Amino acid sequence: MSDASEAPAQLPEHKQPALRVMPMPGDLNPFGDVFGGWIMAMVDIAGAIPAHRRARCRVATVAVNSFVFKQPVSVGDLVSFYAEVVSVGRTSITVDVEVFAERDPENPVVVKVTEATLTYVALDDKGRKRPVPAA
């Protein structure tokens, strides 16, 4: 994990988050931070949304190309997941996901907590790979 003293960030302007979630106490590890696996699951969901829209069909995760935890996430953080398609192959779609936490409502601060790149594959109704339709 990167140094937790990173400078505050800002939510991406002119973009809508694919997903916004507030973690609950049941999502914590024994040290009081949100489980990395919970964050990974939410990133996968957020990334699948634009992949599904672009593929216009069912998609499945085939690769987590990169995943960087920059800062811990805590209960009470409002976590926003911004996902954007960055490349489209014959049957695959690669998505970048940036994750920001809004903290301390009395003295609001935004920090980038995670960034990831995932690849999804388009599937037909029988679960077989299929070509991604032209844009």
Side-chain angles (χ1 to χ4, degrees), residues 25-38:
D27 302 318
L28 299 180
N29 65 27
F31 303 103
D33 298 320
V34 172
F35 278 108
W38 180 90

Side-chain angles (χ1 to χ4, degrees), residues 4 11 55 90 97 102 115 124-125 133:
L11 295 176
R90 192 179 78 74
V97 181
E102 295 175 69
E115 55 191 20
D124 66 16
D125 58 353

Side-chain angles (χ1 to χ4, degrees), residues 11-131:
L11 295 176
E13 290 186 27
H14 312 296
K15 289 186 179 181
Q16 291 294 319
L19 184 65
R20 285 190 128 164
V21 184
M22 188 172 285
M24 303 303 285
D27 302 318
L28 299 180
N29 65 27
F31 303 103
D33 298 320
V34 172
F35 278 108
W38 180 90
I39 296 166
M40 292 179 87
M42 296 298 113
V43 164
D44 191 20
I45 292 167
I49 293 169
H52 179 268
R53 285 184 178 141
R54 178 60 184 83
R56 297 193 295 263
C57 64
R58 178 178 159 199
V59 296
T61 311
V62 294
V64 176
N65 306 324
S66 68
F67 211 106
V68 178
F69 292 101
K70 296 175 148 305
Q71 290 196 37
V73 175
S74 301
V75 165
D77 287 352
L78 176 57
V79 187
S80 299
F81 299 80
Y82 291 82
E84 179 178 22
V85 172
V86 293
S87 69
V88 178
R90 192 179 78 74
T91 62
S92 66
I93 299 168
T94 301
V95 178
D96 280 348
V97 181
E98 294 180 295
V99 185
F100 297 86
E102 295 175 69
R103 302 188 162 147
D104 192 5
E106 291 181 19
N107 300 297
V109 64
V110 174
V111 292
K112 188 174 192 179
V113 294
T114 304
E115 55 191 20
T117 303
L118 299 92
T119 301
Y120 301 85
V121 66
L123 300 173
D124 66 16
D125 58 353
K126 294 189 171 130
R128 296 180 299 223
K129 287 194 292 189
R130 60 160 273 204

